[in-house]
Amino acid sequence: MKHIFRFGVVFCLLCTKVYAQSFNNLPVLTQKPPLHGKHWMAVTGKPLAVAAGAMTFTKGGNAIDAACAMLAATCTMWDVLSWGGETQALIYNPKTKKVIAINALGVAPTGATADFYKSKGFKYPPEYGPLAAVTPGTPGGLMTMLAEYGTMSLKDVLAPAMQMAEGYPIEAQTANSIERGKELIRQWPYSKKVFLPHLGEKYEAPEAGEIFVQKDLLETLKKLVNAEQQALAKGKSRKEAIYAAYDVFYKGEIAKEFVRGCQEQGGLITEQDLANWKVKIEEPMMTTYKGIEVYKLQQWTQGPAMLQTLNILENFDIKSMGYNSSRYIHTLYQAMNLAFADRDFYYGDPAFAPEEPMKGLLSKEYAKERSKLINPDANDPKIGPGDPYPYEGKINPFQDVLKNWSSASLFSPKNNATFDVQFEESFTAGTTSVEATDAEGWVVSVTPSGGWVPACIAGNTGVGMSQRMQAFVLDPKENPFNVVEPGKRPRVTLTPSLALKNGKPFLSFAKQAGDEQDQLLLQFFLNMVEFEMTVQEACEAPSFKTMQMYSSFGKHERINGGLTLNEATPNWTRKELGRMGYKINYQERTSGPINAIYFDWKHGSFWGGSSNHGEDYGIGW
């Protein structure tokens, strides 16, 4: 009887394993099911914001309309960004079959020079407050995308966000973030008025589930809609009416109040700064990986670093190494270090001299030479930027700086960072992402950010100011391309992604979290291309992170050999990586949050995916 009982238990266990619910093609359990849709798909950082996208689709909007509605909602919810931040997007236009880049990053204001910040005792521009602010870009980015590629009115697209500004039940994540940042918030009168409804009590932030009301922001959004509606009443076209609202924000009464409130609190932004700023519609950067076209924004973001890494990895048979083996992790880590060292030295605003050597940096020949520097047996903490200029037929004008960069940076005090909470929060400073597509073929990937809690609100606009100035450097010896000056865009981490295969959309993907964005997006992409995971498996699969590049935030530190692994990493892999010279840290979940849409051309449908932590998710139809 014992033998029969044991057989029965084993048989039942086997049955349980075989018939356990799997949401994927392979017998692998994911904690979230993939999304499926035929007509449209919407994925973003907050469930309520996803609902805004879904409502927009059901009203007849296209993917751009829905993405704008989701962007407006996430800004209104302070999902680690706000209306005064910046918006970066890639759009696939099915009519032209081309990918378009949207550059709605703000610029350094008048008076924002390296000497100014040094005179204040700063080694880098500050992390928080009015002096951390570039000009607001998200309102202009949203209205430009909507005017040029959407179909709906600004009134309809902003309707969900305006309802939320009237009052919505705030979620615990944001409420607790406000409470943690209340010491700074108390210093700024307009922020204190909005964020701390229980001032003087032990818990001063809104409570989770409390109706969070933003009267000033609602009035700002009403002014935009009123400007549009008045223009329509005068016979203006849909596009012209949206741009009339654009002018109210950047040249009208909203601009005046924003500038007044900014300067009252010690900021530098002027009315002329707002009036002169423009959204740029650009050509994206692109490389191919095994025939797949991968698109990123230009070098004012870190996006090309992922393209450089893919070029380097083409020189290795990474699939044969095995997913997340010690050899695989080591090879990707070293390849990323090569690319990110170039990012740290060469990337900056292409509108300003000197010109970045992007042709050389993205050449396959340069990548092949860089790949030869990878030591297969140990981490190399001395890896620095390469010299891409010969691959453009030029001589590097910064040879002397380049020679000293690696040795100087290696022993810099900045390199003394440890795996503490402050460093990791700085390194992975959050944002959100927005992914949308529709049956017509429009695809949009957005990584908006800026103006996160604790945010300094500009006057009675309800608009939080950006904190993106901290991405600049003050010393050209660190990066001669990214030194702060008025009118210049900082080199940011924000990096949406699109991939085409056989001339058709293949993947739309993006994630939050600062300097780790392109690291994890790279691994997500390889999960699907090399290891044939479904989009949800690829979103949830454990990733790793390198801390050997410089943080774009705070003190701009790095950890030589710093490696974050998933807690599920086997002991033998941990030991092997330890022998290779890595300083290892562990996290329970390391997958993102990544949001993605996969285009299933075989069946004529969309697959949506979202990592298994955070509040990110989506809806498909």
Side-chain angles (χ1 to χ4, degrees):
M1 289 295 293
K2 288 182 179 178
H3 293 295
I4 295 172
F5 175 73
R6 286 173 182 166
F7 174 78
V9 170
V10 172
F11 180 77
C12 288
L13 287 173
L14 287 172
C15 287
T16 302
K17 184 175 181 181
V18 171
Y19 293 106
Q21 185 179 15
S22 173
F23 299 124
N24 305 284
N25 291 336
L26 302 173
V28 176
L29 299 180
T30 55
Q31 294 185 6
K32 287 181 179 178
L35 302 163
H36 292 283
K38 177 184 176 183
H39 303 285
W40 51 262
M41 183 75 69
V43 191
T44 192
K46 296 284 186 183
L48 281 178
V50 172
M55 286 190 287
T56 305
F57 273 128
T58 57
K59 290 178 181 177
N62 70 2
I64 310 301
D65 300 319
C68 289
M70 289 189 282
L71 172 59
T74 56
C75 289
T76 304
M77 297 178 73
W78 299 89
D79 182 18
V80 284
L81 78 160
S82 74
W83 277 95
E86 44 273 352
T87 286
Q88 297 68 219
L90 290 171
I91 297 172
Y92 176 77
N93 184 336
K95 298 175 182 178
T96 63
K97 305 196 182 304
K98 292 186 179 297
V99 178
I100 308 146
I102 302 295
N103 177 346
L105 172 63
V107 300
T110 300
T113 65
D115 287 342
F116 170 81
Y117 283 104
K118 288 176 182 177
S119 73
K120 298 286 186 180
F122 293 116
K123 191 172 183 181
Y124 299 96
E127 294 180 71
Y128 298 104
L131 291 179
V134 296
T135 54
T138 288
L142 186 154
M143 287 186 273
T144 297
M145 287 193 292
L146 183 63
E148 298 294 334
Y149 309 109
T151 66
M152 298 177 73
S153 68
L154 186 64
K155 178 182 179 180
D156 286 338
V157 165
L158 293 188
M162 294 175 72
Q163 290 179 35
M164 296 176 78
E166 288 175 346
Y168 75 95
I170 195 169
E171 73 286 2
Q173 183 185 51
T174 301
N176 291 335
S177 179
I178 293 171
E179 180 66 15
R180 287 193 302 271
K182 66 183 180 181
E183 296 302 322
L184 278 173
I185 290 170
R186 284 200 206 101
Q187 299 176 24
W188 306 316
Y190 303 101
S191 298
K192 183 169 64 175
K193 178 178 71 170
V194 172
F195 290 127
L196 303 178
H198 308 297
L199 197 64
E201 300 178 18
K202 184 177 180 180
Y203 190 93
E204 297 181 321
E207 297 175 359
E210 181 177 342
I211 304 302
F212 181 47
V213 177
Q214 301 173 76
K215 293 180 181 178
D216 288 344
L217 177 60
L218 178 60
E219 288 304 310
T220 293
L221 299 181
K222 283 181 177 178
K223 289 173 183 176
L224 296 178
V225 170
N226 288 341
E228 177 200 45
Q229 296 301 302
Q230 289 172 11
L232 289 172
K234 294 177 181 177
K236 299 293 185 182
S237 68
R238 186 190 72 90
K239 180 188 288 190
E240 290 170 333
I242 293 171
Y243 281 126
Y246 182 113
D247 286 343
V248 166
F249 190 95
Y250 288 97
K251 299 176 182 178
E253 57 180 313
I254 297 173
K256 292 182 184 299
E257 177 58 19
F258 184 97
V259 168
R260 186 202 66 77
C262 171
Q263 294 185 356
E264 176 193 334
Q265 297 173 92
L268 299 174
I269 297 172
T270 68
E271 289 186 37
Q272 200 63 40
D273 291 331
L274 292 185
N276 289 341
W277 180 84
K278 295 286 186 297
V279 177
K280 294 185 177 184
I281 300 176
E282 302 176 335
E283 289 286 329
M285 294 290 187
M286 188 274 285
T287 196
T288 58
Y289 182 81
K290 298 189 174 180
I292 298 170
E293 296 177 358
V294 184
Y295 290 85
K296 285 285 188 176
L297 297 171
Q298 294 181 15
Q299 64 270 25
W300 53 273
T301 74
Q302 67 172 334
M306 179 177 157
L307 306 183
Q308 285 189 246
T309 309
L310 287 170
N311 286 343
I312 293 169
L313 291 174
E314 276 195 320
N315 295 284
F316 299 88
D317 183 3
I318 59 173
K319 184 174 183 178
S320 69
M321 299 175 185
Y323 170 72
N324 272 5
S325 67
S326 58
R327 187 63 53 197
Y328 177 81
I329 292 171
H330 174 70
T331 303
L332 263 63
Y333 187 105
Q334 298 304 307
M336 288 193 291
N337 285 349
L338 290 163
F340 280 109
D342 284 339
R343 178 204 77 166
D344 289 341
F345 188 80
Y346 289 112
Y347 288 20
D349 186 348
F352 282 70
E355 182 183 358
E356 297 83 2
M358 298 312 297
K359 181 180 178 181
L361 288 169
L362 290 175
S363 74
K364 299 286 188 178
E365 294 78 15
Y366 177 69
K368 188 172 184 178
E369 286 303 306
R370 292 287 273 168
S371 71
K372 295 175 183 177
L373 298 175
I374 294 178
N375 181 339
D377 300 314
N379 177 52
D380 186 354
K382 296 182 180 181
I383 281 292
D387 186 356
Y389 282 92
Y391 299 86
E392 297 185 353
K394 301 176 183 177
I395 297 174
N396 194 329
F398 302 104
Q399 285 181 344
D400 292 339
V401 179
L402 187 63
K403 288 176 184 176
N404 296 322
W405 190 88
S406 294
S407 58
S409 64
L410 183 61
F411 301 106
S412 163
K414 291 190 298 175
N415 250 8
N416 294 333
T418 56
F419 284 110
D420 57 27
V421 172
Q422 185 176 3
F423 172 74
E424 291 199 58
E425 285 184 353
S426 171
F427 195 88
T428 60
T431 175
T432 196
S433 58
V434 175
E435 307 297 311
T437 190
D438 60 37
E440 188 181 355
W442 289 96
V443 187
V444 58
S445 179
V446 194
T447 313
S449 191
W452 53 73
V453 173
C456 181
I457 291 176
N460 295 307
T461 63
V463 174
M465 290 185 276
S466 170
Q467 300 98 337
R468 198 55 62 175
M469 286 290 294
Q470 65 183 298
F472 279 117
V473 300
L474 305 183
D475 186 350
K477 292 180 181 178
E478 291 186 41
N479 180 342
F481 302 87
N482 190 38
V483 179
V484 63
E485 57 183 294
K488 191 175 186 178
R489 287 169 166 84
R491 196 277 299 152
V492 296
T493 54
L494 305 156
T495 176
S497 318
L498 280 180
L500 306 184
K501 189 174 182 180
N502 299 322
K504 299 178 181 179
F506 171 57
L507 283 172
S508 176
F509 55 115
K511 76 174 297 294
Q512 59 169 293
D515 289 284
E516 72 175 40
Q517 288 180 43
D518 274 316
Q519 301 185 47
L520 272 66
L521 292 171
L522 169 76
Q523 293 171 70
F524 163 83
F525 177 80
L526 295 174
N527 289 345
M528 295 201 66
V529 174
E530 295 286 6
F531 299 103
E532 300 177 350
M533 295 185 191
T534 66
V535 68
Q536 186 59 37
E537 288 169 344
C539 283
E540 290 192 23
S543 301
F544 65 89
K545 299 175 237 183
T546 169
M547 307 293 188
Q548 192 159 299
M549 80 276 237
Y550 285 114
S551 170
S552 302
F553 304 90
K555 298 177 182 178
H556 293 242
E557 296 174 306
R558 76 177 188 183
I559 302 174
N560 283 331
L563 170 63
T564 297
L565 293 175
N566 191 276
E567 290 178 357
T569 305
N571 284 334
W572 58 85
T573 303
R574 299 182 182 198
K575 291 178 181 178
E576 181 66 17
L577 291 167
R579 283 195 293 269
M580 290 178 172
Y582 291 105
K583 301 171 187 175
I584 303 176
N585 180 47
Y586 299 95
Q587 290 180 350
E588 179 184 0
R589 296 183 181 183
T590 56
S591 64
I594 288 173
N595 291 321
I597 299 173
Y598 163 68
F599 297 84
D600 184 349
W601 291 101
K602 178 181 178 181
H603 301 105
S605 63
F606 312 124
W607 290 56
S610 189
S611 296
N612 58 334
H613 61 103
E615 298 178 290
D616 303 59
Y617 213 36
I619 300 176
W621 184 251

